[in-house]
Amino acid sequence: MRIFSGIQPTGRKHLGNYLGAIVQYVAGQDRGEAIYCIVDLHATTRPYDPAELRARVHDTTALLIAAGLDPARCILFRQSDVAEHTELCWLLTAVSAFGELNRMHQFRDKSGGQRELASAGLFLYPVLQAADVLAYRAEEVPVGEDQREHVELMRDVAERFNARFGETLVVPALRVPQVAARVRDLQEPERKMSTTGAGEQGTLHVLDDAEAIERKFRRAVTDSGTEIVRGPEKPGVSNLIEILAAVREIEPGEVERELAGARGYGDLKQATADAVIARLSPVQERYRALRDDEARLEATLAAGAAKARAIAAETLTDVRERMGVGSPR
Ligand code: TRP
C-alpha cells in the first residue's frame, strides 16, 4: 500500500491537526510505503513572505519528525525540491476543465469577492495537488474532510488521463481520519478546531507550553448540567471527553466510566489538560532539539527528495511518452 499526503508549511499545528493528521501519518509508516510532502509551492498561491516560508518549512519538518515520522521509514520531502510535481501539474492541465476548477469550493472561498485578483496559482491549486499524488501512483490519501473535493478531482483527472492516453495513473482513494473530524474549538465547540478565523483561546497548539494548555482547558466552554457524558446537547463536554480519549488512546466510553464519580467539569478539564501535556511534552522537547539544526533538517529533506524524485521520474517518463511530448523513449 502506497500512501501519500501533503502538509501545509505552517508553523502552528493545532491539536486537531496532531490527533487527526499527524498521528495518522506516523501510523502510515507501519501500514505501507508512506510518502509525505511539505507543500511549499501550494503556499505561494496566496500572499506570503519568502523568508517566512523557508522558516515554516523547517518548523513543519522538525515538528513532523518530533511527532514520530522517521525519515528512515518514510519519505519526507519538500515539494519544490522535486520538479516533477510542477511538470506533471502542467501536463495534467490537458485533462482538467476550466469549469470544474472554477467551481471548486476552496477557490470560491479563498478568492472571496476578489476573484479577478486571485492568483492563477490559486486556480490551479487542485491540479498541482493532483500531480503531487499521481506522480507517485499512490493508492491512498489520508486527509481531512475539507480535502474531499480535491481528492475527488484528482480521481477524475487520473481516470480521464487513463481514458484519453491509456492506463498510466493510479486512481487514489480518500481516507479521512475519524478523530480529526471530532476535535472542536475549546471556546466554540460547535465548530471544528482551526487556525483560521478562530480565537487564540479556543485553539490548542501542539507547541503551547504546559501553562497555556492548562489555562485553555480550564477556560474551555462547557455546558449546563454536571454529568460527564457525551451528547448532542453537550458539545463542550463531548469535545473534552473525545480529546481525553484520543490522547490516551482509549474509547470515549471508558473516559465516561472513569469520571462517573468526579465532582464536576473541573475534574474533566484537569484530567484532559494533564493527559494532553503528558502526550505533547515529549514531542515539544524533541522539536526544540531538532529545530535549530537547520543544516540537518535540510539534509533530511534533501535525502527525502532524492528518494521521491526516483519514483516521480518514472511516472513522468510514462506520462510524457503517453502524451507524446519530449523526445521518444
Ligand atoms: N491541500 C492540502 C491541504 O490544504 C495539502 C496538500 C497538497 C495535499 N498536496 C496534497 C494533501 C496532496 C494530500 C495530497 O491540507
Side-chain angles (χ1 to χ4, degrees):
M1 167 73 76
R2 186 177 280 170
I3 300 165
F4 184 101
S5 196
I7 302 123
Q8 292 282 352
T10 47
R12 309 192 76 204
K13 297 294 180 195
H14 57 67
L15 190 64
N17 299 137
Y18 177 76
L19 291 174
I22 299 175
V23 167
Q24 178 158 253
Y25 298 154
V26 174
Q29 300 179 118
D30 298 321
R31 288 198 306 114
E33 189 185 357
I35 307 175
Y36 302 118
C37 175
I38 300 172
V39 294
D40 60 340
L41 296 174
H42 277 116
T44 67
T45 60
R46 303 180 73 199
Y48 76 100
D49 176 72
E52 178 98 352
L53 178 56
R54 282 248 165 73
R56 294 296 85 90
V57 170
H58 290 154
D59 292 348
T60 307
T61 308
L63 187 67
L64 291 170
I65 297 172
L69 285 195
D70 174 1
R73 288 198 302 137
C74 69
I75 299 179
L76 175 62
F77 72 107
R78 168 171 46 207
Q79 188 181 32
S80 60
D81 285 340
V82 180
E84 278 75 3
H85 291 239
T86 41
E87 182 180 354
L88 185 57
C89 174
W90 177 259
L91 295 172
L92 293 177
T93 61
V95 284
S96 308
F98 176 87
E100 69 186 345
L101 298 179
N102 200 30
R103 279 191 302 272
M104 299 293 286
H105 287 120
Q106 178 177 282
F107 182 60
R108 294 187 162 255
D109 297 346
K110 296 204 171 164
S111 57
Q114 306 263 288
R115 175 77 55 110
E116 291 289 316
L117 295 177
S119 72
L122 193 62
F123 183 73
L124 285 174
Y125 185 115
V127 186
L128 180 60
Q129 181 162 348
D132 291 342
V133 175
L134 302 181
Y136 298 90
R137 295 179 163 125
E139 295 156 86
E140 193 180 281
V141 186
V143 278
E145 185 57 42
D146 62 322
Q147 295 298 310
R148 179 179 293 275
E149 198 181 31
H150 285 151
V151 175
E152 266 156 23
L153 179 93
M154 67 180 73
R155 291 170 55 88
D156 290 346
V157 164
E159 274 165 8
R160 227 175 280 146
F161 186 99
N162 291 343
R164 165 87 173 79
F165 298 109
E167 216 41 57
T168 313
L169 300 171
V170 170
V171 181
L174 169 77
R175 181 184 167 103
V176 178
Q178 284 317 297
V179 181
R182 291 199 305 249
V183 177
R184 328 292 302 178
D185 187 278
L186 299 178
Q187 291 298 316
E188 299 169 64
E190 305 75 31
R191 56 184 279 173
K192 249 176 54 172
M193 187 174 284
S194 127
T195 17
T196 46
E200 179 61 28
Q201 287 310 311
T203 310
L204 196 124
H205 294 102
V206 176
L207 298 176
D208 278 349
D209 60 24
E211 205 183 309
I213 295 175
E214 288 236 7
R215 176 166 28 84
K216 288 180 183 179
F217 280 113
R218 207 177 323 115
R219 297 193 189 153
V221 166
T222 42
D223 317 285
S224 55
T226 52
E227 244 193 308
I228 299 177
V229 287
R230 289 162 297 158
E233 71 296 351
K234 293 167 85 96
V237 168
S238 302
N239 190 31
L240 296 179
I241 293 171
E242 304 262 9
I243 291 173
L244 178 50
V247 291
R248 287 181 51 198
E249 293 177 338
I250 58 176
E251 289 304 314
E254 207 172 324
V255 169
E256 291 170 340
R257 281 191 295 280
E258 267 182 32
L259 288 172
R263 285 160 299 156
Y265 295 152
D267 285 1
L268 171 62
K269 291 176 172 187
Q270 188 62 50
T272 310
D274 290 346
V276 169
I277 292 167
R279 179 76 185 254
L280 293 183
S281 59
V283 175
Q284 297 175 351
E285 234 164 82
R286 283 192 293 270
Y287 175 83
R288 283 191 293 270
L290 291 161
R291 176 60 182 87
D292 288 336
D293 194 345
E294 295 188 349
R296 189 159 158 225
L297 293 174
E298 282 295 332
T300 302
L301 290 172
K307 288 193 262 177
R309 201 176 297 122
I311 301 172
E314 260 183 51
T315 309
L316 263 293
T317 301
D318 293 345
V319 167
R320 288 166 137 262
E321 181 71 17
R322 296 283 200 184
M323 290 184 72
V325 304
S327 53
R329 192 158 16 189

